Amino acid sequence: MPDAAAVAALAREALEGDELLHDAGRRAAYHLATRALVMADHADDAHAAITRLRDHAVQRGSLRLQAAAAWYAADLALRRGRLAEAEDEARSALCLVDEDVSVLTGGAAGVLVCVLAERGAFDEARDVLRERGLEGPMEGVPWQSAVIHARARLWLAEGDYERALAEALVSGALREERGRPNPTWTPWRSTAALALAHLGRREEAVAIADAEVTAAERFGAPVPIVSALHARAVAEPDDAATVALCERALAVAAGTPALLETVRTRLVLGSTLAHMGRRIEARDALRPALADADGAGAVLLAQRARRKLVATGLRPRQAATEGAAALTPRQRQVCELAAAGKGNRQIAQALFLSIKTVETHLAAGYRKLGVGTRADLAAQLAP
């Protein structure tokens, strides 16, 4: 199996010129190459490919290609820990195509569920699953593994570890059946290992996490490697070994897109150091974890970091969950244009969004700003 560097090189070569791009409405080659760059964690190349696809889609007036670009952008943003961007892009993808659940809408819904789980918005995540008919079995759907794994991450975040384990194993079995064992597609072993560790089944957790580390290192993309090492650290019963695993993960993560995985690893490291009585070192691990979690909008991780810092004797500030500071970048854009007197159709045209997407972002902005009309927006957005 080629590693991440080789996969990225082949994808870049395939995307040279405009031949695949101009055929993107009929054939999968451009899409597959773009997805390969995302999965190889070549973020800059992936972003460039997505931008080209989006520009092409706008020029052609193709909502399906715009939705595809939004889905890929959402997935890339999630892997980079940019949750606000990932949420905006995933919601845009879902609003751009009005059709039964497909690979586009299913993929975007899976990303959105993962984002909402990171934010602690469990009811919203369940609503997405219910509204899209993604709550139950999905036999015969070729892309179902990613959605099932997104559900596993939701149950894990909620603390339903038995359910998270069951869904992660189902997701993994589907990936194995289709010959896609690479954890960069779906890190189901990491999710299963975390659930097992929380259930007290540490030996099983260690075994499945070790298998994930081996598979992730074989491919070489940093995000799944750090994710696997984090799971292995959580499963490890020995404090000194846990610290070593965390340090190994952080060395891999340095300078890579693995922001959320880095935060999780720092939380484990800080907690373990505190347990060992190394309180100052624990704070050094937990402070950047809190800053990055707050910056990413990862509410659950930020809450954990605050609790652990408080346990070391610090009193960190609270992050904004309401008001202008809580708006995602796209929500702010939409609200600012609305406050300037633009109608929904004008905003949609200015930002290359559907009217439904504008309505969704505007409603979220109203909720966070505590207003009910356009007339009240300007005052709330004022610096």
Side-chain angles (χ1 to χ4, degrees), residues 37-359:
L37 290 171
V38 173
M39 296 300 171
D41 289 327
H42 281 243
D44 291 342
D45 292 326
H47 177 72
I50 292 166
T51 300
R52 289 181 67 205
L53 178 61
R54 178 170 277 150
D55 291 344
H56 177 68
V58 170
Q59 290 172 3
R60 287 190 51 187
S62 171
L63 293 181
R64 282 186 59 80
L65 287 180
Q66 288 182 56
W71 168 32
Y72 307 153
D75 204 3
L76 176 63
L78 177 59
R79 289 176 76 96
R80 301 173 83 176
R82 299 179 178 180
L83 296 182
E85 180 182 340
E87 180 179 351
D88 284 341
E89 293 286 6
R91 290 191 185 279
S92 293
L94 291 172
C95 291
L96 281 165
V97 288
D98 185 16
E99 59 183 27
D100 292 335
V101 179
S102 66
V103 64
L104 288 179
T105 53
V111 173
L112 183 55
V113 167
C114 287
V115 171
L116 293 172
E118 296 286 357
R119 282 182 38 211
F122 302 141
D123 289 342
E124 287 185 64
R126 288 173 179 270
D127 287 344
V128 171
L129 292 170
R130 185 181 64 256
E131 291 166 3
R132 296 284 163 175
L134 301 173
E135 291 179 297
M138 294 181 288
E139 289 88 351
V141 181
W143 42 265
Q144 63 184 309
S145 179
V147 174
I148 294 172
H149 184 257
R151 296 192 320 215
R153 297 300 300 188
L154 174 59
W155 312 143
L156 186 69
E158 288 196 61
D160 190 344
Y161 302 124
E162 292 282 5
R163 197 173 182 186
L165 175 61
E167 295 266 57
L169 294 177
V170 169
S171 176
L174 290 167
R175 283 298 189 199
E176 296 290 335
E177 286 175 11
R178 291 181 172 83
R180 291 180 175 177
N182 191 332
T184 201
W185 283 98
T186 306
W188 64 270
R189 292 185 192 85
S190 293
T191 301
L194 292 171
L196 285 165
H198 284 295
L199 290 167
R201 297 161 60 178
R202 286 188 176 271
E203 289 186 6
E204 295 170 80
V206 166
I208 199 168
D210 279 339
E212 186 87 324
V213 170
T214 298
E217 289 182 334
R218 184 182 303 123
F219 183 61
V223 170
I225 294 174
V226 182
S227 178
L229 286 170
H230 163 258
R232 179 63 180 82
V234 172
E236 176 57 50
D238 179 75
D239 283 348
T242 299
V243 169
L245 284 162
C246 289
E247 290 175 344
R248 178 178 162 193
L250 294 173
V252 174
T256 76
L259 187 143
L260 294 181
E261 290 73 18
T262 298
V263 170
R264 293 189 182 97
T265 301
R266 289 190 183 279
L267 287 174
V268 176
L269 177 60
S271 179
T272 305
L273 290 169
H275 184 258
M276 297 170 73
R278 297 159 63 178
R279 182 172 295 187
I280 302 302
E281 293 172 84
R283 291 174 179 173
D284 290 341
L286 294 171
R287 283 194 188 98
L290 175 57
D292 286 344
D294 272 345
V299 175
L300 292 186
L301 293 177
Q303 289 173 346
R304 284 176 55 198
R306 281 191 178 83
R307 287 196 300 269
K308 293 180 185 299
L309 277 168
V310 167
T312 70
L314 294 184
R315 291 292 183 271
R317 64 171 181 79
Q318 292 291 324
T321 57
E322 296 180 349
L327 295 175
T328 70
R330 185 65 83 185
Q331 288 165 2
R332 175 173 280 279
Q333 280 184 308
V334 170
C335 287
E336 286 177 345
L337 288 172
K342 302 291 185 183
N344 287 1
R345 184 174 297 279
Q346 291 173 299
I347 296 171
Q349 292 172 344
L351 299 179
F352 301 105
L353 300 173
S354 70
I355 294 177
K356 186 177 179 182
T357 301
V358 170
E359 291 170 348

